[in-house]
Amino acid sequence: VLLPVAIYVISEISKVSENEKQLRKLYEQQLSSFIFSVNLYSEDLMSSISFRLANQPTPETIEQAFAENLYLLAISFSPLDSTGHLSDSTSLTFHYEEENKAKWIANIRELLNSQDSLLSNLIKYQKAGFRKLQPLPDLQVDDERFGQIGFLVEKDQKVQLCLLTFDTEQFIRQTLQPKM
């Protein structure tokens, strides 16, 4: 009597285990699709900002970018030479009062100086006819960290790195969270 019951219980346990594996696989596929969708949406948002700034890097366009994207904190332009090294000074436009402008510029220049290979790769993409959005390491100012996306633009007859600095938490709250 116990042998058929034991076989039946073992059979049912193996079916449950098989179902759990299928559910886990389905869950992982859905999670992967969701993450891909969120990343694509984020890239589209940043791409639309970069497109406008690349085509018209004027003060009006910069102000419009700030007005439409409240998570943007700063937009900086740093001229590059033909090899991808920083040349002149960095110009920085803040979304808010420019109380710590010198500190921000120093931190941005320090960060960019450590990204020579990344900047030279952006130059190669541009020479090949592509405008690539490149995430950069977070910018740290005092105890705060901010996300950054860079791309190249032609401004004042020079190739410049345009760097969008944004509040990551605010970006998630304002744009991604409602979409999720």
Side-chain angles (χ1 to χ4, degrees), residues 53-128:
L53 289 173
N55 289 328
Q56 290 183 317
T58 62
E60 294 81 22
T61 310
I62 292 170
E63 287 305 315
Q64 183 181 11
F66 284 134
E68 293 174 358
N69 307 288
L70 300 177
Y71 50 85
L72 276 180
L73 300 175
I75 298 174
S76 61
F77 292 93
S78 301
L80 303 174
D81 62 19
S82 61
T83 60
H85 294 89
L86 293 173
S87 50
D88 300 312
S89 63
T90 297
S91 67
L92 181 66
T93 306
F94 276 110
H95 180 58
Y96 51 90
E97 291 184 27
E98 300 186 16
E99 57 198 41
N100 296 323
K101 187 174 185 175
K103 187 183 289 187
W104 277 69
I105 289 175
N107 290 357
I108 287 172
R109 289 190 63 73
E110 181 181 329
L111 177 87
L112 293 178
N113 282 328
S114 68
Q115 300 295 319
D116 280 345
S117 64
L118 184 135
L119 297 176
S120 62
N121 284 341
L122 283 175
I123 295 277
K124 289 176 189 172
Y125 278 112
Q126 185 193 34
K127 287 180 180 175

Side-chain angles (χ1 to χ4, degrees), residues 166-178:
F166 57 95
D167 184 331
T168 310
E169 289 178 22
Q170 193 173 2
F171 176 74
I172 291 169
R173 265 193 321 273
Q174 287 180 350
T175 59
L176 298 182
Q177 197 171 26

Side-chain angles (χ1 to χ4, degrees), residues 33-48:
S33 295
F34 175 75
I35 290 172
F36 177 77
S37 176
V38 167
N39 284 337
L40 193 60
Y41 179 69
S42 299
E43 186 175 352
D44 284 347
L45 288 173
M46 290 298 176
S47 185
S48 70

